[in-house]
Amino acid sequence: MLSQAKIRFINQLSRKKIRYEEGCFIVEGNKGVKEGLEEGLTARELYVSDPSLIPFSGAEVITEKEMKKISQLTTPSDTLAVFDFPEIKDWQDADWVLALDEIQDPGNLGTIIRTADWFGFKHILCGQGTVDPFHPKVIQATMGSYARVQCHSIDLEACLQQQERTVVGADLEGVPLKNYDVPSKGVLVIGNEGRGLSSSVEKLLDTKVTIERGEGSKAESLNAAISTAVILHTISNRLSSQN
Amino acid sequence: MLSQAKIRFINQLSRKKIRYEEGCFIVEGNKGVKEGLEEGLTARELYVSDPSLIPFSGAEVITEKEMKKISQLTTPSDTLAVFDFPEIKDWQDADWVLALDEIQDPGNLGTIIRTADWFGFKHILCGQGTVDPFHPKVIQATMGSYARVQCHSIDLEACLQQQERTVVGADLEGVPLKNYDVPSKGVLVIGNEGRGLSSSVEKLLDTKVTIERGEGSKAESLNAAISTAVILHTISNRLSSQN
């Protein structure tokens, strides 16, 4: 049975401050929990409300009512884990990294993590003002990819200043993506959903790329996760054709 | 002043049945309303709570409290319009159209409409089971693009059966996108968020394309709007380089 103290502890993990004090975060759903375990994350707590469906060794079986008390979801799933923060891996060896300049929507960040995972980008640098990558809604939107892509909270300006890789930003006024000569190493910077790249970050770019509009299009902008996907796809494709 | 009958009428438009009976839908936000008017939509009702900001001729000025009563948003904006459904334009003349096979999330559909607008795709065929394109959350997520892209509710199977264009579906098992020879005319079909393409639709495809994973990627899937964007970008780029 779940103690009141446990319930309180898990509920408090919806707050960023507590997550960082405790060094852990919540993952809900069979698939997401499974992927965390497969990638070697340490489960501090592991609960299932339907033991027949989920053969996780070491899981504590709780009732659906208890699951509801610890779940962050409107419709709780049958699995919930509290994982320790993953061990920090060095991103400096990666050829390409993605950097986010104040992405604020948890759904967008989760989708960006999922997309980075698909295209083989293992590291995301999250500048100040970017939503916490361990926010429950972010984790949910990654569809399990949170376990394979590492997000690093950094000072984006300081990081870009020291950067030896080419730094390229997504912008409405840049080199058309089809004409962009993809270097073997780089940092792709994506700006805020509403304001785009901040001016202090823009100064540190080596180049800017633009996703070409279709003929006759009067659209003003693309969603941040959509822009990220289109550019990562282009980079990934060009790199694989260079090899 | 807003009458109780008006408030009730506008609130009822959150229901699909009422939207179709009345032939109208709600748009909120200065930008979205402006784009509707610019594209020639007829505003049956037009309200502003801050007349100094929004110089819409013919708008009725209401209080913020009244706006709150008719708004669908948690944080109401200062503009709300009830537009008549747009005049139906023929999609048969378009070279490429997008078709959706049970896209259920309003945010995804809105993002898909916004993305189609960016890449110059003017028509989307919405199969049964796809969320209503006039759903307030869909309209909100289009960021104004709802006014430039027309969604047609159709019987997808019947439509694909009669199709003379090449029909291509997005799938995990298909021709790698980079090897896909983009024809001058076609229909791109995107499947449901969880289940992908339905088997009845899959049978009607001429070909399937797959977005290549990056090297070493263990990701299982991409978000439906993300897949749509990456494929539309590729189609749009190839078409423009053929011209």
Side-chain angles (χ1 to χ4, degrees):
Chain A
M1 216 190 83
L2 268 177
S3 69
Q4 284 305 320
K6 270 287 160 62
I7 295 173
R8 203 176 318 118
F9 169 69
I10 295 172
N11 282 325
Q12 281 188 329
L13 292 176
S14 64
R15 292 170 58 200
K16 180 178 177 184
K17 184 172 170 280
I18 308 293
R19 286 197 292 277
Y20 283 80
E21 277 173 15
E22 297 288 344
C24 59
F25 65 108
I26 295 171
V27 179
E28 298 197 58
N30 197 356
K31 187 174 175 295
V33 170
K34 206 168 136 233
E35 304 205 16
L37 293 170
E38 278 173 9
E39 294 299 319
L41 290 185
T42 306
R44 200 183 286 196
E45 311 279 345
L46 184 50
Y47 302 102
V48 294
S49 61
D50 182 351
S52 68
L53 280 175
I54 309 115
F56 292 136
S57 66
E60 183 177 337
V61 181
I62 60 174
T63 64
E64 279 182 30
K65 211 173 151 188
E66 287 176 311
M67 187 60 92
K68 214 166 176 172
K69 284 184 187 164
I70 55 172
S71 173
Q72 307 280 320
L73 305 173
T74 326
T75 313
S77 77
D78 44 25
T79 315
L80 184 148
V82 176
F83 282 121
D84 285 342
F85 279 166
E87 202 183 314
I88 294 170
K89 292 171 203 143
D90 190 12
W91 58 270
Q92 301 285 357
D93 290 341
D95 289 337
W96 270 87
V97 290
L98 179 61
L100 306 177
D101 182 17
E102 300 194 29
I103 290 292
Q104 288 177 328
D105 181 78
N108 277 342
L109 178 55
T111 304
I112 288 172
I113 293 171
R114 182 178 176 190
T115 305
D117 187 23
W118 182 273
F119 290 119
F121 291 71
K122 303 280 181 212
H123 298 277
I124 300 179
L125 311 178
C126 297
Q128 282 145 356
T130 292
V131 60
D132 179 39
F134 296 104
H135 187 301
K137 284 190 186 164
V138 174
I139 298 291
Q140 210 62 30
T142 68
M143 301 296 280
S145 291
Y146 77 90
R148 288 181 296 265
V149 174
Q150 195 160 59
C151 292
H152 307 263
S153 292
I154 46 112
D155 178 331
L156 188 54
E157 286 170 47
C159 179
L160 294 182
Q161 264 158 0
Q162 296 155 11
Q163 199 43 244
E164 283 173 20
R165 295 176 182 77
T166 306
V167 181
V168 54
D171 194 76
L172 290 171
E173 314 278 335
V175 180
L177 194 50
K178 67 178 168 196
N179 301 333
Y180 175 55
D181 195 8
V182 176
S184 58
K185 292 182 172 207
V187 179
L188 170 65
V189 192
I190 302 291
N192 171 269
E193 288 93 344
R195 298 182 304 273
L197 296 162
S198 56
S199 57
S200 54
V201 164
E202 211 176 333
K203 282 178 202 146
L204 300 168
L205 301 176
D206 295 307
T207 179
K208 291 193 261 188
V209 288
T210 300
I211 298 168
E212 307 85 344
R213 278 188 188 79
E215 222 183 285
S217 166
K218 289 197 272 177
E220 271 181 41
S221 65
L222 281 170
N223 165 283
I226 295 286
S227 302
T228 308
V230 169
I231 302 175
L232 289 187
H233 172 246
T234 301
I235 292 173
S236 165
N237 251 0
R238 303 265 175 87
L239 290 179
S240 76
S241 67
Q242 283 165 18
N243 288 340
Chain B
M1 216 191 84
L2 268 176
S3 69
Q4 284 305 320
K6 270 284 160 65
I7 295 172
R8 204 177 316 118
F9 169 69
I10 296 171
N11 281 325
Q12 281 188 330
L13 292 176
S14 64
R15 291 169 57 200
K16 181 178 175 183
K17 184 172 172 279
I18 308 293
R19 287 196 292 275
Y20 282 80
E21 277 173 17
E22 297 287 344
C24 58
F25 65 107
I26 296 171
V27 179
E28 298 197 57
N30 197 355
K31 187 175 176 294
V33 170
K34 207 169 136 230
E35 303 204 16
L37 293 170
E38 278 173 9
E39 294 300 318
L41 290 185
T42 306
R44 200 183 284 197
E45 310 280 344
L46 184 50
Y47 301 102
V48 294
S49 61
D50 181 351
S52 68
L53 280 175
I54 309 115
F56 291 138
S57 66
E60 183 176 338
V61 181
I62 60 174
T63 63
E64 279 182 29
K65 210 173 150 187
E66 287 176 311
M67 186 60 91
K68 214 165 175 173
K69 285 184 187 163
I70 55 173
S71 174
Q72 307 281 319
L73 306 173
T74 327
T75 312
S77 76
D78 44 25
T79 316
L80 184 148
V82 176
F83 283 120
D84 285 343
F85 278 166
E87 202 184 315
I88 294 170
K89 292 171 204 144
D90 189 11
W91 58 270
Q92 301 285 358
D93 290 341
D95 289 338
W96 271 87
V97 290
L98 179 60
L100 305 178
D101 181 18
E102 300 196 29
I103 290 292
Q104 288 176 330
D105 181 79
N108 277 342
L109 179 54
T111 304
I112 287 172
I113 293 171
R114 182 179 177 190
T115 305
D117 187 25
W118 181 272
F119 290 120
F121 292 71
K122 304 280 182 212
H123 299 277
I124 299 179
L125 311 179
C126 297
Q128 282 145 355
T130 291
V131 60
D132 179 39
F134 296 104
H135 187 300
K137 283 190 186 166
V138 175
I139 298 291
Q140 210 62 30
T142 69
M143 299 297 280
S145 291
Y146 77 90
R148 288 181 296 265
V149 174
Q150 197 161 57
C151 291
H152 307 261
S153 292
I154 46 114
D155 179 331
L156 188 55
E157 286 170 49
C159 179
L160 294 182
Q161 264 158 359
Q162 296 155 11
Q163 200 42 242
E164 283 174 20
R165 295 176 181 77
T166 306
V167 180
V168 52
D171 196 75
L172 290 171
E173 314 279 333
V175 180
L177 194 49
K178 66 179 169 195
N179 300 334
Y180 175 55
D181 195 9
V182 176
S184 58
K185 292 181 172 209
V187 179
L188 170 64
V189 191
I190 302 291
N192 172 269
E193 288 94 343
R195 298 182 305 274
L197 295 162
S198 57
S199 57
S200 55
V201 164
E202 211 176 333
K203 283 179 202 143
L204 301 167
L205 301 177
D206 295 307
T207 177
K208 290 194 261 189
V209 289
T210 299
I211 299 168
E212 307 86 342
R213 279 190 187 78
E215 222 183 285
S217 166
K218 290 195 274 177
E220 271 181 40
S221 65
L222 281 170
N223 164 284
I226 294 285
S227 302
T228 309
V230 168
I231 302 174
L232 289 187
H233 172 246
T234 301
I235 292 173
S236 164
N237 251 0
R238 303 263 175 88
L239 290 178
S240 75
S241 66
Q242 283 166 15
N243 287 340

